[in-house]
């Protein structure tokens, strides 16, 4: 598929999706939103892809909704259909990332604001440049946080800190994000993409089915009780028992060698 506002490349089992509206800090207009949706579906459906890596071109990761899109309506004081735009737009990006049974990594190269921060939070791992910043920008434009921020934030940083981030809207730098548990690690800006690719490649050579179902089980577990979760784990483990990668993992252990996983 060809895209105009993103770059999508697959190499060595890793699909790299680069938001490519650098002048606007990769703010989400209608085109990039639709393309993100399509590219995420492409990565999810491609058996060659065993890990998705998302980053931004230029100095921003993603500045959230493109606030110039509805400029005419705002200037005229006309109501804007934000609820429908979310349901049909950003929600259709966030949910497939969470549902994708493959690891998803964000290489956060700069500011992640508003729905752009939510996009980063919906990824399974965030590798942050030391120039990354996280900003719940919604409150600054008189909105409530969206695109899953109300779900991800309290789970990642706890309710009290989530209240601060959402209602006070501070800009959180990379080291503070690490301290809060918002990111996996912080790396020098110049080495971000090398580090993120190495991280993604290592996931792409892992037991993809087990990684995918681990993710499913964790999302199930954060919303369910212990008994239900253990029952769910047992169902998933029954599926895992049939996979080639599980056989290979145990044989490799018994043979005292590294496992060679094929993602099936
Ligand atoms: O309307 C809806 O669709 C509702 C949905 C809402 C969901 C949301 O995401 S609400 C939150 C939307 N995002 C924001 O409010 C963030 C707005 N941007 C900023 O506050 C700042 O740009 C940043 C803190 C993110 C970065 O600041 P800084 O100083 O590093 O960069 P800058 O100079 O402000 O921005 C650089 C350029 O990007 C600039 O364009 P210019 O002047 O060089 O032509 C700026 O206008 C543009 N830009 C930044 N953010 C957006 C944007 N253009 C459109 N939309 C943006 N969100």
């Amino acid at each position: 598929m060809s895209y105009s506002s993103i770059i999508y490349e697959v190499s060595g089992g890793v699909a790299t999706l680069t938001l490519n509206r650098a002048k606007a800090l990769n703010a989400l207009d209608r085109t990039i939103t639709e393309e993100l949706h399509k590219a995420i579906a492409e990565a999810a459906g491609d058996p060659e892809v065993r890990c998705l890596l998302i980053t931004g071109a230029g100095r921003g990761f993603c500045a959230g909704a493109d606030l110039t899109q509805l400029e005419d309506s705002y200037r005229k004081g006309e109501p804007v259909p934000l609820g429908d735009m979310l349901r049909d737009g950003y929600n259709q990006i966030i949910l497939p990332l969470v549902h994708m049974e493959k690891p998803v990594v964000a290489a956060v190269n700069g500011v992640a604001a508003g729905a752009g921060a939510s996009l980063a939070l919906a990824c399974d791992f965030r590798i942050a440049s030391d120039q990354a910043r996280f900003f719940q920008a919604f409150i600054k434009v008189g909105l409530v946080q969206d695109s899953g921020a109300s779900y991800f934030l309290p789970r990642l940083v706890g309710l009290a800190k989530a209240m601060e981030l959402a209602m006070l809207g501070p800009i959180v730098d990379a080291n503070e994000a690490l301290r809060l548990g918002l990111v996996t690690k912080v790396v020098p800006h110049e080495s971000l993409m090398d580090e993120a690719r190495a991280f993604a490649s290592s996931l792409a050579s892992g037991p993809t089915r087990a990684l995918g179902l681990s993710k499913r089980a964790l999302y199930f577990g954060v919303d369910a009780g212990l008994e239900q979760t253990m029952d769910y784990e047992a169902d998933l483990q029954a599926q895992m028992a049939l996979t080639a990668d599980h056989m290979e993992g145990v044989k490799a252990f018994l043979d005292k060698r590294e496992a060679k996983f094929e993602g099936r």
Side-chain angles (χ1 to χ4, degrees):
M1 213 169 296
S2 73
Y3 300 104
S4 60
S5 297
I6 63 171
I7 303 166
Y8 179 84
E9 308 161 304
V10 179
S11 168
V14 177
T16 304
L17 191 170
T18 306
L19 304 171
N20 195 23
R21 297 189 68 221
K23 275 189 172 165
L25 303 180
N26 303 312
L28 301 168
D29 65 2
R30 184 189 281 263
T31 304
I32 200 168
T33 302
E34 286 172 2
E35 291 189 354
L36 255 171
H37 176 65
K38 284 185 188 148
I40 290 166
E42 188 171 344
D46 182 350
E48 294 300 309
V49 173
R50 292 168 64 187
C51 180
L52 172 63
L53 175 62
I54 302 181
T55 193
R59 71 178 180 86
F61 175 74
C62 175
D66 187 319
L67 296 175
T68 64
Q69 267 191 132
L70 299 174
E71 183 169 351
D72 282 354
S73 303
Y74 282 115
R75 294 218 183 269
K76 289 182 196 153
E78 290 170 356
V80 284
L82 297 187
D84 289 341
M85 283 169 63
L86 283 177
R87 287 193 185 88
D88 299 341
Y90 307 156
N91 294 4
Q92 303 309 320
I93 294 171
I94 301 298
L95 283 172
L97 285 177
V98 168
H99 291 158
M100 190 184 300
E101 289 181 3
K102 300 176 184 183
V104 182
V105 180
V108 187
N109 53 302
V111 70
S118 303
L119 175 64
L121 297 184
C123 297
D124 306 321
F125 302 92
R126 284 155 293 284
I127 309 294
S129 141
D130 53 15
Q131 293 177 18
R133 292 175 287 160
F134 293 82
F135 178 25
Q136 292 299 306
F138 309 93
I139 203 73
K140 302 289 182 187
V141 289
L143 289 177
V144 62
Q145 64 284 350
D146 66 30
S147 310
S150 313
Y151 181 92
F152 298 116
L153 272 182
R155 284 168 173 77
L156 287 167
V157 301
L159 186 57
K161 189 48 82 173
M163 291 279 183
E164 283 177 34
L165 299 182
M167 292 168 67
L168 305 178
I171 296 188
V172 172
D173 69 21
N175 286 326
E176 176 68 354
L178 182 64
R179 200 186 64 75
L180 292 176
L182 279 176
V183 303
T184 305
K185 64 173 168 173
V186 177
V187 300
H189 187 70
E190 314 70 64
S191 53
L192 174 68
M193 288 317 292
D194 286 345
E195 293 260 5
R197 279 194 198 100
F199 188 83
S201 294
S202 130
L203 286 166
S205 59
T208 310
R209 291 286 297 141
L211 291 169
L213 295 196
S214 294
K215 173 171 167 176
R216 220 165 96 182
L218 288 169
Y219 273 110
F220 185 92
V222 290
D223 290 327
L226 175 62
E227 209 171 319
Q228 256 185 312
T229 302
M230 290 197 300
D231 202 40
Y232 191 67
E233 286 172 342
D235 286 346
L236 297 182
Q237 212 63 299
Q239 293 179 42
M240 290 315 303
L242 306 175
T243 64
D245 281 345
H246 168 56
M247 301 291 165
E248 163 62 7
V250 176
K251 278 191 277 184
F253 172 77
L254 297 174
D255 296 347
K256 299 189 187 303
R257 60 175 172 81
E258 279 293 308
K260 200 169 175 318
F261 294 120
E262 291 177 4
R264 58 191 179 87

